[in-house]
Structure formats: C-alpha cells, structure tokens
Amino acid sequence: MAETRKTRVLIIGSGPAGYTAGIYASRAMLSPILVQGIEPGGQLTTTTEVENWPGDTEVQGPDLMIRMEAHAKAMGCEVISDIITSLDLSKRPFEAKADSGADFIADAVILATGARAKWLGLPSEDAFKGFGVSACATCDGFFYRGQEIVVIGGGNTAVEEALFLTNFASKVTLIHRRGELRAEKILIDRLMKNPKIVPLWHHELEEVVGDDNPKGVTDVKVKHVETGAITEIPAKGVFVAIGHAPASELVKDQLELHHGGYVKVMPGSTATSIPGVFAAGDLTDHVYRQAVTSAGMGCMAALDAERFLAEAED
Ligand code: FAD
Ligand code: NAP
C-alpha cells in the first residue's frame, strides 16, 4: 500500500533553490518535505570549481551541494530521495505522486526543478550518446586522456567545459555557430590564452561519425553556417554544451509559462498563477541562471509560502 505523507510545504528539487527553500521553510517551523529528484544537488553536481559563490573563493560544485543538503537537514528539512512523477494543482491541498509509489498532500508547493541539458537533436548525436557524445565534461572528461575532442556552444558552460577538458584532451576544438561568445569575459580570456583550445567560428555540428564495433566516435562533420561547406574534424569525444531547458513538464498544462517553458512568477515574488504554488531558480529564470540567484529565489519562495499559509489560516 502506497504511503501518503501530509506536509505544509512540499519542495520539489534539490538544487540551490530547493535546499535554500528547505532551510528557510524549516526555520519558519513549516516542517517541509523536500523531494530530491533524479539529480540530487542539481546542476552544480556536474561541474568542478565554482568561483562565484559568495564566501568561497573556490568551491567544488558537488561539495557545495553536499553542504547545502546538510544545512537544510540540520534546520529540520526532511529530504527524500524520490522523483515526483505527477502533480495535481487543480485544488488545495495539492497532491503529488512519486516514483516510489508514495503520495504527498501539501498545503503549499515550492517548485525548484531547475533545468536540464539541451541536445542538438541529430540522429547521430543520439546514436553515440554515452559512446563519445556527452553533455557533462566533469562526468566524462576523464575518458579522453590524450585524445582530440570537440565542444559545441558559446556560453559559460561551453567555455568552462572546454577549459576543463584541456586537463585530459590533447586538443579541444570549440565549435560555435556565431563569431562571438556569450560567456563571461574572464572565461573568454582564459579560453583564448589556452594553447590546447582552438575556436572554430560560424560552424555547426552536422554529424557525429563513428564506428560500431567497438562503438565510439572517430570524427565530426561540421558545416559553415554561411557557405554550407562541410569539414571533417577528428574527435573521440563530443561535448554538447548549448544550454539548458527548464524542467517544467510537471506543471506545463497547469501553470502559466513563458515562451521556452519557464514558469511565470509575479514580478518581485515567486508566486505562480496558482495561489499556494511558488517557483524558484532556473525553472523561472532565463536571464541570470546562477547558483546564487537560484538560492535567493529559494529563500523568497519559502518566505512567500510562509506568508501565504499564515494568511490562508486567518
Ligand atoms: P538545479 O540545480 O537545476 O536543480 C534542479 C533540481 O530539481 C535537481 O535536484 C533535480 O533532481 C530536481 N528535479 C527535477 N525534476 C524533478 C522531479 N520531477 N521531482 C523531484 N525533483 C526534480 N552557476 C553559478 O552560479 N556558478 C557556476 O560556476 C556555475 N557553473 C555551472 C556549471 C555547469 C556545467 C552548469 C550546467 C551550470 C552552472 N551554473 C553555475 C548554473 C547553476 O548550476 C544553476 O543556476 C543552478 O544549479 C540552478 O539551481 P536550481 O536549484 O534552480 O536547479
Ligand atoms: P547559454 O548561456 O544559453 O548558451 C548556450 C550556447 O549554445 C550559446 O552560445 C548558443 O549560441 C549555443 N547554442 C544554443 N543552441 C544551439 C544549437 N542548436 N546549435 C548550436 N549552438 C547552439 O547556456 P549555458 O552556457 O549552458 O549557460 C546557462 C546558464 O548557466 C547561463 O546563465 C550561464 O551564465 C550559467 N552558467 C554560469 C557559469 C558561471 O558563472 N561560471 C558556468 C556555467 C553556466 P548563441 O550564442 O548563438 O545563442
């Protein structure tokens, strides 16, 4: 028989937004339950050094997230290893079902499901996922010691991944569809100074080429975006770093969303289009998408939920 848990506040997601909401909701004596999802600790667990978390000149992403989880638990937040598979926001209290079979009934919900890596959608990319094609340099970079690899994208993630991959690879080609990167200046500086990295401007990945036995990537075909000219580059690894999409599947037919699937919140607040449902972090934010801004929104969501519950009980 599936377990049913009642809670004042259900927090969905365990990135900086979720754990910060957990800390604040616990300190407000709301005894929150936080469900971690498939990626406990969120996106920062897929990176190495974080250099812009205030108070830490440098901290490893996974370490920071372990500390956040411990902090939330120490304040009284119940952290559950499970995935929410459906959420009914049509009436309050809200109902959520989890992968384990557990049900949750909550007076308020804080959505902090963040974002996930985007893929290019090429059949050859799909065919070699896990066999040379990756979206996580931290996870897979080690496999490419002394090899040539390519990174696709021109944002902070692509540049950081390219820099990180120089620890292993003999050469990293950064393939970008424009002639200008959108990454931060400090990262671009490091990239340009790194002798192992060669930028390839105005090109898109056309096809991942590889062998079947043993399965693995050997080359990539890239296309010049203006001339259409195809070039083949040797590569054992292909790291796709073209951004992230908000994880709003649970609520896409229930809440108002922005173009691109980001959950709409009221200006200066984390209130969504349904009273009692709050959203924080990358799920709502296509502009800043930082750990510190996500944590800030997690704090706001817990304070908003506390105020909502206090008013609802008056
Ligand atoms: P996320 O970190 O995306 O966490 C989302 C959480 O929701 C996860 O725990 C997931 O398991 C959970 N979840 C999703 N669906 C469900 C479900 N159905 N049920 C339950 N749980 C669910 N930012 C910086 O400030 N500094 C950096 O140096 C930096 N480096 C980065 C490096 C990389 C490679 C990447 C990808 C991002 C980086 N960022 C950095 C951005 C930063 O990681 C994000 O802004 C931040 O993690 C967003 O936090 P979040 O809590 O909104 O969501
Ligand atoms: P992003 O900033 O959205 O950049 C995505 C990049 O991929 C862009 O350069 C984009 O090209 C390119 N791209 C998108 N779709 C493409 C396609 N179909 N084909 C080819 N190229 C494509 O994503 P991100 O780099 O993952 O960063 C996400 C957020 O996390 C950002 O807010 C970032 O600041 C943050 N982050 C921060 C840090 C840090 O602070 N150190 C580190 C990592 C990430 P165009 O430029 O042409 O659009």
Side-chain angles (χ1 to χ4, degrees):
M1 176 90 175
E3 188 192 11
T4 299
R5 299 285 312 273
K6 287 191 179 160
T7 179
R8 311 285 309 284
V9 182
L10 177 67
I11 301 167
I12 308 177
S14 57
Y19 283 143
T20 307
I23 292 166
Y24 276 78
S26 301
R27 285 175 49 79
M29 309 305 278
L30 293 172
S31 308
I33 290 179
L34 182 152
V35 180
Q36 287 182 306
I38 202 163
E39 190 175 60
Q43 291 171 65
L44 281 189
T45 60
T46 68
T47 191
T48 49
E49 292 92 11
V50 175
E51 294 181 338
N52 48 18
W53 180 255
D56 286 310
T57 314
E58 186 186 301
V59 58
Q60 294 291 311
D63 292 345
L64 178 60
M65 296 319 299
I66 286 169
R67 277 167 37 195
M68 279 195 210
E69 179 179 349
H71 191 168
K73 283 179 172 166
M75 293 297 122
C77 183
E78 184 177 345
V79 175
I80 294 182
S81 170
D82 211 337
I83 301 165
I84 299 297
T85 50
S86 70
L87 186 59
D88 182 356
L89 302 176
S90 61
K91 55 181 186 326
R92 222 172 59 88
F94 308 113
E95 288 182 28
K97 288 193 184 305
D99 192 48
S100 64
D103 290 327
F104 297 94
I105 296 182
D107 295 324
V109 169
I110 295 176
L111 300 164
T113 49
R116 291 192 200 116
K118 279 190 198 164
W119 296 96
L120 292 162
L122 301 169
S124 57
E125 170 194 59
D126 207 33
F128 286 102
K129 260 182 211 165
F131 296 91
V133 174
S134 167
C136 178
T138 323
C139 322
D140 300 327
F142 189 70
F143 302 122
Y144 300 96
R145 275 165 295 165
Q147 315 272 18
E148 295 189 20
I149 57 168
V150 299
V151 174
I152 322 291
N156 276 337
T157 303
V159 173
E160 281 196 341
E161 303 237 316
L163 287 165
F164 175 72
L165 287 163
T166 59
N167 291 323
F168 313 100
S170 57
K171 179 182 171 190
V172 178
T173 305
L174 182 79
I175 300 167
H176 184 37
R177 63 184 177 183
R178 293 189 297 132
E180 178 184 25
L181 299 165
R182 64 168 68 234
E184 287 169 28
K185 298 266 174 302
I186 188 169
L187 292 175
I188 297 177
D189 255 20
R190 283 182 208 159
L191 180 100
M192 294 304 181
K193 284 183 190 145
N194 195 308
K196 280 191 179 176
I197 303 179
V198 180
L200 181 64
W201 307 114
H202 304 294
H203 277 79
E204 282 179 344
L205 184 65
E206 178 74 1
E207 189 186 338
V208 180
V209 182
D211 291 329
D212 272 342
N213 199 10
K215 195 164 180 178
V217 174
T218 54
D219 303 87
V220 291
K221 283 184 187 167
V222 292
K223 183 165 89 179
H224 194 285
V225 292
E226 281 144 24
T227 65
I230 303 277
T231 314
E232 200 153 328
I233 303 174
K236 294 279 189 231
V238 179
F239 288 84
V240 179
I242 60 164
H244 286 75
S248 51
E249 300 83 1
L250 282 175
V251 295
K252 68 177 173 7
D253 300 320
Q254 305 185 74
L255 293 179
E256 281 180 29
L257 305 181
H258 284 289
H259 181 70
Y262 291 89
V263 170
K264 258 191 196 175
V265 288
M266 293 188 192
S269 148
T270 60
T272 68
S273 52
I274 295 184
V277 181
F278 304 90
D282 280 14
L283 176 67
T284 71
D285 173 19
H286 65 287
V287 180
Y288 304 105
R289 291 181 295 187
Q290 295 293 299
V292 70
T293 48
S294 297
M297 284 185 263
C299 154
M300 289 166 65
L303 297 178
D304 288 344
E306 181 191 3
R307 237 164 262 150
F308 168 83
L309 290 170
E311 281 167 19
E313 280 152 22
D314 271 351

